Amino acid sequence: MGQNANHGHEEHHIIPFSILRNVCLALLVLTILTVFTAKFIHLGVLATPVAFLIAFVKAMLVMAYFMGLKYEGNGNRIIFGTGFFFLAVLAFFCVLDIWTRLPVQDIFS
Amino acid sequence: MNWFLALMNTVAVNTASAAGKSFMPPVGTEIASDVDNLYSFLLWTSFLGCVILIGGMIFFAVKYKRRTDNDKTPYISHNMALEFLWSFIPLVLFLVVFAWGWKVYHDMRVMPENAFEIHVQAKQWQWDFMYKSGKVSTNDFFVPVGIPVKLVMASEDVLHSFYIPSMRIKQDVVPGRYTTLWFKADKTGDYQIFCTEYCGAAHSAMLAKMHVVPAPDFEKWLQENEEGLTLAQKGEKLYNSKGCIACHSTDGSVKVGPSWKGLWGSTGHTMANGKSVTVDENYIRESILNPNADIVKGFSAGLMPAQQGLLTEDQLTALIEYIKTLK
Amino acid sequence: MGNTHASGDNYINHEKGLWSWLTTIDHKRIGLMYMIVILFFFLCGGIAAMLIRLELFASGPLFDGNTYNQILTYHGAIMVFMVIVPGIPAILGNFFLPIHIGAKDVAFPKLNLASWYVFMAGAILAISTLFTTKIDTGWTFYTPYSIKTGTAVVTMVMAAFIMGMSSILTGLNFIVTVHKLRAPGMTMGRIPLFVWAVYSTAILQVLATPVLGITLLLLAMERTLGVGIFDPARGGDPVLFQHFFWFYSHPAVYIMILPAMGIVSEIIAAFSRKTIFGYTAIAYSSLGIAAVSFFVWGHHMFVSGQSEIAGIVFSFLTMLVGVPTAIKMFNWLATMYRGSISFESPMLFAMGFLFLFAIGGVTGIMLATVGLDVHFHDTYFVVAHFHYVMVGGTLMALTGGLYYWFPKMFGKMFNEFWARISFVLIFIGFNVTFFPQFVLGAMGMPRRYADYVPAYESLNKISSIGAWTIGVGFLVALYVIIEGLMSKRIAPANPWGAKTLEWQVQSPPTHHNFEVEPVVTAGPYEYR
Amino acid sequence: MSTVNQTAKGEHHYAHHFRDAMHEFLTSKEGIWVFMVTEILMFGGLFVGYFIFHALYPETFHEGASHLAWKMGALNTVVLIASSWTMALSIHYIQRGLNSKATMCLIITILCGFIFMIVKYFEYTSKIQHGLLPGKFFHYHEAVSQQLPLYFGFYFCMTGLHGIHVVLGMSLIGWVLYRHLKGEFNPHYFTAVEGVGIFWHIVDLIWIFLFPLLYLVG
């Protein structure tokens, strides 16, 4: 907020072709990696966190380069980040409730 | 913290007797007094708060009334010390109230060891109380005085909420899981039970009575059976216990279903499809066992559960005998 | 500051004909279009309220249970989704937010018009259920009742979803407008407090409404496909529905009250002829309330079957939201201190707001206290509390705001005498209606009851009489507006001697708001 | 209607309430970002539900995932990543004034959308044939877990809502392509392409999470 004046003569930033190509390649490699870890290595309990971590890295790449957040001002980064923050709030309190409810065996004396 | 709560309690108890309790229902258990003390403390601090805010507003309004159209007002933009005070004092007060409320809530939620356990089954629109002896009572809830009672509650259909105002306790009854509640009734007597979670057409008729009785009487009640009643009296018991009461009145008032008063023998009973019937044994029997086959004009289909297989022949007869008595 | 040209051209006569209104992208005209439809829906919701009080006037049934439940559902759903949530932002926010910051329009004028049409589509869909199987779930749509009941839940839920989209688009528009379209010199520290309030509201609309959207979609899926997420019969969790629902609906109560607080800030400064006390504190407390409101929704669920720990955490966080609210109250009082206070009807409504909101606020603290709420939850105490906030707060402020800005919006003066009569009727009627409900709630009378035990009868009678008084009061207010529109009393550009930008332009404003882009050099309340 | 300012060059045009074309561009872009927040929160609600029930019924979700064709899911992931890349490239080319290359990129993006939907179609028909359907339509007889209908409730809601977004995105790209072919975009004015691009990347972003969560770990 607060950037209301004087952006008259800026030029649009052009993201170089090579960066876009490399990001695309990285995303494909990470896709292969996520399939590989899930289907050909048995990670047990780690499976979900690992898959989620890889997805997170991919998401960061898309956001930074394809969506161009890396070249944006802080304003739009804060706006987009706010969405994720309040999503985390929703998840946190729902989980807090469900995980601290009395287990059924404690209900019956 | 404890000494502080104790102090607050003393303050509250003294003020409470004055006026604070006036609106609350009669106290039926120890926790209810704790709740009332907290309530009176809040009532008085709230009253004080309102006096400051509203009184201040009226005072300023009178004192600083516009005199001329050219009044000069001072330019006061802020005052850190004041602003800090009126943020900090409410914060402290709110936190005290929170801690106090937490303590009361905790006492409500910690189930005592070796409490007397009763199962509560809620459904549209009645309460079934199931005792370990095998006795089932509907809409009449008998508990012994002075003994902690723990309720394990489940719902057959939608959300309900079990509320005894005099005990200051309330808990939603959630289908698919069990919720619990406990209390220890201090005084014998009858207490009102409400359903407080909206549950459909007869939500406001989903009432029950709690009867707190001395322990020996309670034991006797647990053993009691239905011998020695007339057929119509048995029917009246069924009217209450099977939940007919939620939708059918016996005083002529219209609820979800038609009233039973004066029903027996009436001719020209008009159906939704236009035909007209005479109310006899067979009509009542059909209406109970298969209620949606013929709906009385002005009422909705699909609300009454079919009783086919749920009532024995004896019970049907008893109900019909009861309806006959409702002139 | 901008100059006043008393030319005959203004936004009302700039173009003529119904079509020019239906296709307008002028934020002022769109604000008026919202005003017309929202006042109409307010009338509908009000009629439902009168019927509710008619049923509750005496013990014993007047309508059958189903009919009563439908009336109460329509009262809730219409008032929440179609009156109070869109009310102040869509009418007064649309009209004044751009002028307040010295802009010619909102950031996306066509989107603004689209929001109106989306809102209308949703509203018409909602009203259409009246002519089908109706709906009887209460405005909260709690599962599993909303899954099982045989009424038009899917239609109503889709209607609420569509109106939610409209709300999101309006919020989005306002956020971007405030960020990007401020006039030169109009820093964030110089925007009027009404703009701060509507801006905070817009943030809430954008962040909270999507979760309501997905919740309602899932409920619709629940009924059509039996997805099962909220249905215990299929392994789902009805309490999770309540979490999702209140994640929206608790911030939504701040969507309803924050703009009202903004109006009150404006009116009190204007009628005290004094700079607002603690501008920064009021501005940031709006943002603070908005932010904290996302952390407190579980106080609607203390007895719902959520865990004890969750209940305690939510109770604690709820106490925190009381602080910025208290700050605002004290700041308004301090603004009146050593002011030059006059008592035209907008100020009466603002003071009525302070009076009623104080009571609504302290009873809110009682309800936030977890041990006490167990007794009060789902009783008339809650009903009384939220009506003190929603009607005593929001609707008082909306009515006061409409009077305050009436000269600017239409270039006419309303009849002050009848405006004061409307205030007296609404204020007294309101207290007669809802104060007894606190007592009823303390006595244990549950809400959403079509009938009650005889012990509650006398207080309910008083309450019903009060409700009809409010009804008359609002009809008088409607008369004041219509009579004002027909009258020939031409309003000056600045009848109240206020300092914010909208009073520096002609009444009614021109199509472009400002003839010359204003350059701002000082704060909004410079009464020196 | 809005007055549109024409500058001397005739190529920058912007609505009357903006200071200049860049002001309009940045304002529009912020609007798009705010809108994306609502997308995140809307899908986010579904993800929160998914996580909760995944933790409550891990076996169900494992069994459910084993019924999904992960190879098709992987194929769709690749398709969407490629389309995201071409979308980003189309903006790159418009900014450099290479209009025909930009046209190609937009067309490829739409085609990728079609491929995605076709693969989805085959997936859905196979699920429907086996009776692996949400809730009350579920009639697969070899289900081990009692909550399997719930898993397929999640599967169809999440992929269905995502599919709707793919179709919406394709239509929007079609609209942008049409305007592009009319020559409305140039290195100084390409707001609509940028906005639609960000929307399309969000669609990709959500799939990046959906794929491993539904198809792989389960």
Side-chain angles (χ1 to χ4, degrees):
Chain A
M1 62 183 82
Q3 30 170 281
N4 65 322
N6 300 331
H7 27 58
H9 303 291
E10 292 164 28
E11 280 300 315
H12 295 288
H13 181 270
I14 302 180
I15 305 168
F17 179 85
S18 58
I19 287 188
L20 293 176
R21 182 198 57 209
N22 291 347
V23 167
C24 181
L25 287 176
L27 288 172
L28 293 175
V29 169
L30 286 169
T31 305
I32 294 167
L33 186 67
T34 190
V35 169
F36 185 71
T37 51
K39 286 286 159 193
F40 302 104
I41 309 177
H42 292 285
L43 290 167
V45 284
L46 280 178
T48 311
V50 165
F52 193 77
L53 189 72
I54 297 174
F56 179 75
V57 174
K58 287 166 76 179
M60 290 307 278
L61 284 174
V62 172
M63 285 190 275
Y65 295 98
F66 283 175
M67 299 170 95
L69 268 187
K70 187 177 188 302
Y71 310 98
E72 293 270 347
N74 276 333
N76 290 341
R77 283 185 215 164
I78 291 170
I79 288 171
F80 202 48
T82 313
F84 288 97
F85 175 75
F86 283 98
L87 181 59
V89 171
L90 172 67
F92 174 78
F93 284 107
C94 291
V95 169
L96 173 76
D97 165 31
I98 289 172
W99 259 251
T100 54
R101 282 181 200 164
L102 271 188
V104 178
Q105 61 269 25
D106 291 356
I107 287 178
F108 297 93
S109 50
Chain B
M1 207 70 216
N2 269 334
W3 64 267
F4 183 74
L5 288 175
L7 177 74
M8 283 298 165
N9 256 321
T10 341
V11 174
V13 168
N14 290 329
T15 48
S17 43
K21 277 181 186 166
S22 52
F23 305 144
M24 298 291 249
V27 170
T29 180
E30 200 185 321
I31 286 179
S33 325
D34 297 345
V35 171
D36 286 7
N37 290 339
L38 174 55
Y39 172 61
S40 12
F41 172 75
L42 269 163
L43 210 56
W44 283 107
T45 38
S46 300
F47 182 69
L48 197 67
C50 286
V51 165
I52 294 173
L53 286 170
I54 297 169
M57 177 184 82
I58 294 170
F59 176 73
F60 288 164
V62 173
K63 179 133 195 251
Y64 302 112
K65 189 171 168 346
R66 186 169 299 169
R67 311 285 165 193
T68 69
D69 211 32
N70 300 318
D71 284 357
K72 275 281 167 215
T73 56
Y75 188 84
I76 312 170
S77 67
H78 64 286
N79 180 326
M80 277 310 278
L82 260 181
E83 288 180 78
F84 174 76
L85 274 184
W86 68 49
S87 319
F88 186 70
I89 294 174
L91 177 66
V92 172
L93 204 61
F94 294 162
L95 290 182
V96 169
V97 169
F98 157 71
W100 193 343
W102 177 3
K103 189 190 171 296
V104 172
Y105 181 61
H106 188 68
D107 292 344
M108 284 176 181
R109 295 309 310 167
V110 177
M111 302 294 146
E113 302 283 317
N114 57 49
F116 186 83
E117 195 174 295
I118 300 168
H119 281 248
V120 179
Q121 185 85 27
K123 65 178 174 208
Q124 287 169 323
W125 291 279
Q126 69 181 54
W127 299 99
D128 288 333
F129 301 95
M130 301 174 195
Y131 296 80
K132 287 210 165 146
S133 67
K135 179 137 184 162
V136 178
S137 165
T138 298
N139 293 345
D140 275 307
F141 180 37
F142 283 86
V143 292
V145 72
I147 295 171
V149 173
K150 176 181 171 184
L151 306 180
V152 176
M153 307 189 290
S155 167
E156 277 182 24
D157 36 45
V158 299
L159 294 172
H160 300 281
S161 190
F162 187 81
Y163 176 38
I164 317 176
S166 288
M167 303 291 150
R168 310 284 189 273
I169 51 168
K170 182 182 291 140
Q171 175 64 53
D172 280 13
V173 186
V174 184
R177 56 186 272 223
Y178 295 99
T179 52
T180 57
L181 206 55
W182 83 274
F183 64 92
K184 183 170 79 99
D186 285 343
K187 279 180 245 164
T188 58
D190 290 352
Y191 298 92
Q192 184 67 50
I193 296 171
F194 290 116
C195 172
T196 48
E197 187 61 80
Y198 173 69
C199 60
H203 169 51
S204 57
M206 191 167 161
L207 310 174
K209 269 274 187 274
M210 178 168 79
H211 311 284
V212 181
V213 295
D217 294 4
F218 177 70
E219 286 304 320
K220 212 174 110 205
W221 177 82
L222 267 187
Q223 310 306 328
E224 182 184 284
N225 54 34
E226 296 191 347
E227 296 304 311
L229 294 177
T230 68
L231 212 48
Q233 282 170 327
K234 278 187 189 168
E236 185 174 2
K237 275 190 96 98
L238 287 167
Y239 167 71
N240 287 303
S241 66
K242 291 291 175 185
C244 317
I245 186 169
C247 307
H248 301 281
S249 76
T250 57
D251 60 2
S253 60
V254 177
K255 290 179 164 180
V256 177
S259 173
W260 287 359
K261 184 186 168 73
L263 180 65
W264 179 258
S266 69
T267 53
H269 204 55
T270 319
M271 296 293 124
N273 57 15
K275 79 178 175 190
S276 162
V277 299
T278 303
V279 178
D280 57 9
E281 272 99 343
N282 275 324
Y283 169 75
I284 293 182
R285 185 191 165 84
E286 180 65 12
S287 299
I288 295 174
L289 295 181
N290 192 8
N292 294 317
D294 257 334
I295 295 295
V296 179
K297 195 170 169 127
F299 294 92
S300 312
L303 289 173
M304 177 168 164
Q307 302 294 315
Q308 191 86 51
L310 300 177
L311 290 172
T312 63
E313 286 299 325
D314 292 0
Q315 289 173 323
L316 266 177
T317 318
L319 269 174
I320 293 171
E321 284 304 314
Y322 174 57
I323 291 174
K324 283 181 186 172
T325 65
L326 301 168
K327 297 289 182 226
Chain C
M1 296 256 172
N3 266 323
T4 304
H5 297 288
S7 65
D9 182 54
N10 60 49
Y11 79 99
I12 296 174
N13 62 20
H14 185 71
E15 283 174 292
K16 290 208 166 55
L18 182 64
W19 187 245
S20 77
W21 282 84
L22 292 176
T23 56
T24 185
I25 53 170
D26 181 344
H27 65 100
K28 300 181 286 299
R29 287 182 155 214
I30 293 171
L32 289 196
M33 280 154 64
Y34 270 114
M35 187 176 106
I36 292 163
V37 296
I38 288 173
L39 288 184
F40 172 73
F41 294 138
F42 179 55
L43 187 69
C44 299
I47 290 169
M50 297 300 115
L51 290 174
I52 289 175
R53 286 320 314 176
L54 190 63
E55 159 74 46
L56 296 179
F57 184 71
S59 173
L62 178 68
F63 312 119
D64 65 64
N66 274 326
T67 311
Y68 178 79
N69 293 340
Q70 287 161 3
I71 296 172
L72 103 93
T73 303
Y74 280 102
H75 171 65
I78 290 177
M79 286 302 197
V80 170
F81 293 116
M82 291 151 75
V83 179
I84 305 185
V85 165
I88 299 176
I91 303 173
L92 297 172
N94 249 323
F95 201 108
F96 289 106
L97 182 131
I99 308 184
H100 268 158
I101 61 171
K104 287 184 191 160
D105 207 325
V106 292
F108 310 112
K110 286 178 195 155
L111 191 68
N112 201 14
L113 179 65
S115 313
W116 186 82
Y117 279 103
V118 172
F119 175 73
M120 287 308 289
I124 289 168
L125 197 58
I127 296 290
S128 77
T129 59
L130 270 173
F131 305 100
T132 59
T133 46
K134 304 194 176 60
I135 166 172
D136 70 334
T137 58
W139 79 277
T140 49
F141 306 115
Y142 270 17
T143 58
Y145 185 76
S146 55
I147 301 173
K148 286 173 191 260
T149 183
T151 51
V153 177
V154 174
T155 319
M156 192 58 158
V157 153
M158 292 319 291
F161 178 84
I162 293 168
M163 288 187 278
M165 272 165 60
S166 159
S167 183
I168 287 176
L169 296 179
T170 303
L172 182 154
N173 226 330
F174 287 173
I175 291 178
V176 180
T177 306
V178 171
H179 283 179
K180 298 289 189 193
L181 293 193
R182 279 170 285 127
M186 180 61 87
T187 59
M188 285 302 272
R190 284 179 182 162
I191 61 177
L193 288 167
F194 177 68
V195 176
W196 269 109
V198 173
Y199 171 67
S200 307
T201 307
I203 294 176
L204 288 176
Q205 286 173 300
V206 164
L207 288 174
T209 319
V211 176
L212 177 77
I214 191 70
T215 312
L216 295 180
L217 276 187
L218 282 175
L219 177 56
M221 291 295 110
E222 206 72 71
R223 281 183 72 92
T224 48
L225 303 177
V227 167
I229 297 171
F230 302 134
D231 186 355
R234 299 178 191 276
D237 184 356
V239 179
L240 188 67
F241 174 86
Q242 298 174 28
H243 277 301
F244 276 33
F245 180 81
W246 288 111
F247 179 86
Y248 164 77
S249 295
H250 191 71
V253 309
Y254 293 100
I255 292 176
M256 305 178 210
I257 196 66
L258 274 173
M261 293 169 159
I263 291 177
V264 169
S265 302
E266 296 300 321
I267 293 179
I268 288 187
F271 287 87
S272 303
R273 292 255 172 100
K274 185 159 167 286
T275 193
I276 198 97
F277 183 94
Y279 171 91
T280 323
I282 297 182
Y284 282 116
S285 65
S286 291
L287 273 186
I289 289 172
V292 181
S293 72
F294 281 98
F295 296 77
V296 301
W297 79 79
H299 63 227
H300 296 267
M301 301 167 57
F302 284 151
V303 301
S304 68
Q306 79 176 354
S307 75
E308 188 190 335
I309 293 172
I312 290 163
V313 170
F314 278 125
S315 172
F316 173 75
L317 292 165
T318 306
M319 292 297 175
L320 298 186
V321 98
V323 176
T325 314
I327 291 176
K328 278 181 190 278
M329 294 292 287
F330 285 114
N331 277 312
W332 290 323
L333 276 195
T335 304
M336 291 172 73
Y337 169 71
R338 294 180 66 191
S340 162
I341 305 170
S342 70
F343 300 99
E344 280 91 356
S345 45
M347 185 61 174
L348 293 180
F349 276 93
M351 288 171 65
F353 172 98
L354 288 190
F355 187 104
L356 302 175
F357 190 74
I359 296 173
V362 294
T363 50
I365 294 295
M366 293 188 191
L367 291 173
T369 312
V370 55
L372 193 51
D373 182 68
V374 172
H375 178 62
F376 286 146
H377 180 78
D378 267 350
T379 66
Y380 263 80
F381 198 91
V382 178
V383 176
H385 159 71
F386 72 72
H387 279 93
Y388 261 83
V389 179
M390 302 287 92
V391 183
T394 309
L395 286 181
M396 290 293 275
L398 176 60
T399 318
L402 282 177
Y403 286 159
Y404 176 56
W405 279 304
F406 188 88
K408 182 54 64 186
M409 292 167 86
F410 303 107
K412 305 269 184 72
M413 286 306 284
F414 56 86
N415 183 321
E416 176 63 21
F417 174 76
W418 285 105
R420 288 184 190 194
I421 297 287
S422 73
F423 168 75
V424 171
L425 286 173
I426 294 170
F427 182 77
I428 293 177
F430 180 84
N431 284 297
V432 173
T433 312
F434 291 104
F435 205 85
Q437 295 188 3
F438 281 124
V439 182
L440 283 170
M443 288 163 72
M445 179 176 163
R447 64 191 282 203
R448 294 179 168 176
Y449 262 31
D451 196 7
Y452 46 79
V453 294
Y456 301 137
E457 188 158 10
S458 51
L459 285 170
N460 268 301
K461 280 206 156 55
I462 298 174
S463 186
S464 289
I465 291 167
W468 300 327
T469 316
I470 308 180
V472 175
F474 276 115
L475 287 179
V476 173
L478 187 66
Y479 164 77
V480 171
I481 289 176
I482 292 171
E483 195 272 342
L485 284 175
M486 315 286 256
S487 83
K488 298 226 172 349
R489 296 182 294 269
I490 302 298
N494 190 358
W496 318 118
K499 296 286 183 187
T500 36
L501 268 187
E502 80 273 29
W503 301 108
Q504 319 310 320
V505 299
Q506 70 170 45
S507 302
T510 55
H511 178 61
H512 286 297
N513 299 343
F514 301 96
E515 296 305 304
V516 188
E517 188 177 37
V519 176
V520 182
T521 52
Y525 309 106
E526 296 292 312
Y527 296 91
R528 301 211 201 215
Chain D
M1 303 299 285
S2 77
T3 36
V4 169
N5 296 355
Q6 298 283 336
T7 61
K9 276 188 254 171
E11 51 187 14
H12 302 215
H13 45 80
Y14 53 93
H16 74 100
H17 54 296
F18 295 109
R19 254 166 243 127
D20 51 50
M22 195 60 172
H23 186 203
E24 184 185 64
F25 174 77
L26 291 174
T27 305
S28 308
K29 202 159 166 185
E30 186 177 293
I32 295 289
W33 279 110
V34 174
F35 184 66
M36 288 308 119
V37 168
T38 69
E39 291 287 348
I40 292 294
L41 280 158
M42 184 160 143
F43 271 100
L46 271 176
F47 276 100
V48 170
Y50 170 91
F51 273 111
I52 286 170
F53 286 102
H54 186 183
L56 287 177
Y57 312 121
E59 301 82 16
T60 304
F61 278 67
H62 196 73
E63 187 187 347
S66 71
H67 288 294
L68 298 190
W70 68 268
K71 286 173 188 159
M72 283 191 172
L75 173 64
N76 262 348
T77 312
V78 173
V79 168
L80 271 195
I81 288 175
S83 76
S84 241
W85 180 49
T86 52
M87 188 71 225
L89 272 184
S90 68
I91 297 168
H92 171 89
Y93 286 129
I94 289 179
Q95 283 179 310
R96 288 174 55 192
L98 302 170
N99 284 345
S100 53
K101 281 193 173 177
T103 310
M104 274 312 293
C105 282
L106 287 172
I107 290 173
I108 294 172
T109 312
I110 296 177
L111 284 179
C112 283
F114 271 114
I115 296 172
F116 182 91
M117 291 313 289
I118 290 165
V119 173
K120 217 57 284 148
Y121 168 78
F122 282 113
E123 272 191 65
Y124 273 17
T125 41
S126 123
K127 296 291 161 294
I128 291 165
Q129 272 166 9
H130 290 91
L132 293 163
L133 286 165
K136 55 180 153 189
F137 298 105
F138 186 89
H139 56 271
Y140 178 71
H141 302 296
E142 287 146 55
V144 181
S145 164
Q146 208 195 330
Q147 278 87 24
L148 205 56
L150 182 65
Y151 174 84
F152 280 95
F154 271 110
Y155 170 77
F156 276 99
C157 281
M158 293 172 105
T159 56
L161 189 61
H162 180 262
I164 291 172
H165 277 77
V166 172
V167 174
L168 268 178
M170 283 161 62
S171 339
L172 286 172
I173 298 169
W175 168 68
V176 161
L177 178 63
Y178 170 73
R179 287 184 63 185
H180 178 60
L181 290 174
K182 283 201 332 192
E184 289 188 18
F185 300 123
N186 57 54
H188 303 285
Y189 175 71
F190 53 91
T191 314
V193 198
E194 180 89 9
V196 169
I198 290 175
F199 180 81
W200 188 254
H201 297 312
I202 272 273
V203 173
D204 184 26
L205 195 73
I206 287 158
W207 185 258
I208 282 176
F209 283 98
L210 279 182
F211 168 61
L213 292 182
L214 283 174
Y215 291 77
L216 296 180
V217 294

